[in-house]
Amino acid sequence: MVDNPTTTVLSASNQDDGISQEKRDRLERWKFRVEVTTAIIIAIYTGIAAWQLCEMRKATRAATKSADTAQDTLIRSQRPWLVNDGPATYKVGSVYKAQDSAGVNFSFSVKNLGPSPALDAGFGVQPFVRTSGDTRDFEGARKQACQLADGVVNVNSQTIFPQQIVDYGTGGFIPNFSKVRTVLFYGCIAYRDQFDTKHTTHHTTFCVVGPIKEPHSLGLCGINEIAD
């Protein structure tokens, strides 16, 4: 029996088609594997790049903060520092018995402990009195004194050089003089320095207290005495 030529050709064609399909399937599998591997590599690279960027930003922030801290430390070591220096004194001036009031003269000294000049220095003093020596309204008196000092800074051009001492004096008015037992003065020294391009105003605040009937050197209150 003789084979049919047509059948033989079809069988060979089907066999070739099967082999070609297997190759295509194998190629698709390799292509898929390559694509997956590429995606994984890209994801890993992206993650590493993002981590490196995050670390670089952290390092930049740390370096900037360190530089700012170093600069601030340097400026603080070179800028002026004004303090209330020595005893503050007061004395009762005119007494107005009809109004039961009196005028008080207050004096104190300021010294620059820093190595550079204090610019535009000014002061403000807020007297307040107590019949029993309590400590209410300290914060309000401090703010009022610094508001007065800031007003002077804006128009004053006085300079206090390193280790220089400047004496200041001012007056105050005390109502209900016959009932007062204790007098308190809240002082604020305001000034600027040559390093701050923003013209920030520094403040040194202090409080002194003493009996109204015995004018003499006043002692520190120990409350809200701040230097910035």
Side-chain angles (χ1 to χ4, degrees):
M1 181 177 181
V2 180
D3 292 337
N4 188 335
T6 303
T7 303
T8 302
V9 171
L10 288 177
S11 297
S13 176
N14 289 339
Q15 185 176 3
D16 291 341
D17 288 345
I19 295 173
S20 299
Q21 182 63 41
E22 182 179 351
K23 289 182 178 180
R24 285 195 295 270
D25 292 343
R26 188 182 303 118
L27 181 63
E28 288 296 326
R29 287 196 296 271
W30 275 107
K31 182 178 179 182
F32 176 75
R33 291 172 184 172
V34 170
E35 290 176 347
V36 171
T37 302
T38 302
I40 293 174
I41 293 174
I42 292 175
I44 293 174
Y45 174 79
T46 302
I48 293 175
W51 176 81
Q52 290 178 334
L53 179 60
C54 181
E55 291 299 312
M56 289 176 59
R57 288 177 176 174
K58 288 181 180 179
T60 301
R61 286 195 296 267
T64 301
K65 183 178 180 180
S66 178
D68 291 343
T69 301
Q71 183 180 15
D72 182 65
T73 300
L74 177 62
I75 290 176
R76 290 177 69 86
S77 68
Q78 296 299 314
R79 54 160 278 197
W81 290 91
L82 296 188
V83 298
N84 174 35
D85 182 73
T89 62
Y90 79 99
K91 64 179 180 180
V92 177
S94 301
V95 177
Y96 306 97
K97 293 184 179 180
Q99 291 82 21
D100 192 18
S101 62
V104 175
N105 297 316
F106 175 74
S107 62
F108 66 102
S109 299
V110 172
K111 184 176 182 179
N112 182 3
L113 297 181
S116 61
L119 308 178
D120 302 331
F123 77 94
V125 174
Q126 179 64 30
F128 60 116
V129 297
R130 290 289 174 264
T131 58
S132 59
D134 62 71
T135 58
R136 293 173 298 172
D137 300 331
F138 271 63
E139 182 62 22
R142 185 187 70 83
K143 289 181 179 180
Q144 291 177 1
C146 285
Q147 287 174 356
L148 293 172
D150 288 342
V152 175
V153 165
N154 292 329
V155 298
N156 195 6
S157 59
Q158 183 176 10
T159 299
I160 302 179
F161 294 96
Q163 303 305 311
Q164 181 182 3
I165 298 175
V166 177
D167 297 323
Y168 290 112
T170 187
F173 184 76
I174 299 177
N176 302 318
F177 181 69
S178 62
K179 299 178 181 178
V180 173
R181 298 294 178 268
T182 304
V183 62
L184 303 95
F185 293 88
Y186 218 111
C188 182
I189 310 162
Y191 60 99
R192 294 173 178 159
D193 64 61
Q194 66 191 31
F195 303 102
D196 193 340
T197 57
K198 297 180 180 179
H199 302 292
T200 301
T201 300
H202 306 292
H203 298 92
T204 298
T205 55
F206 63 93
C207 175
V208 290
V209 59
I212 189 63
K213 298 298 185 181
E214 301 175 7
H216 56 62
S217 297
L218 299 167
L220 293 175
C221 303
I223 298 177
N224 288 341
E225 293 167 350
I226 304 169
D228 61 28

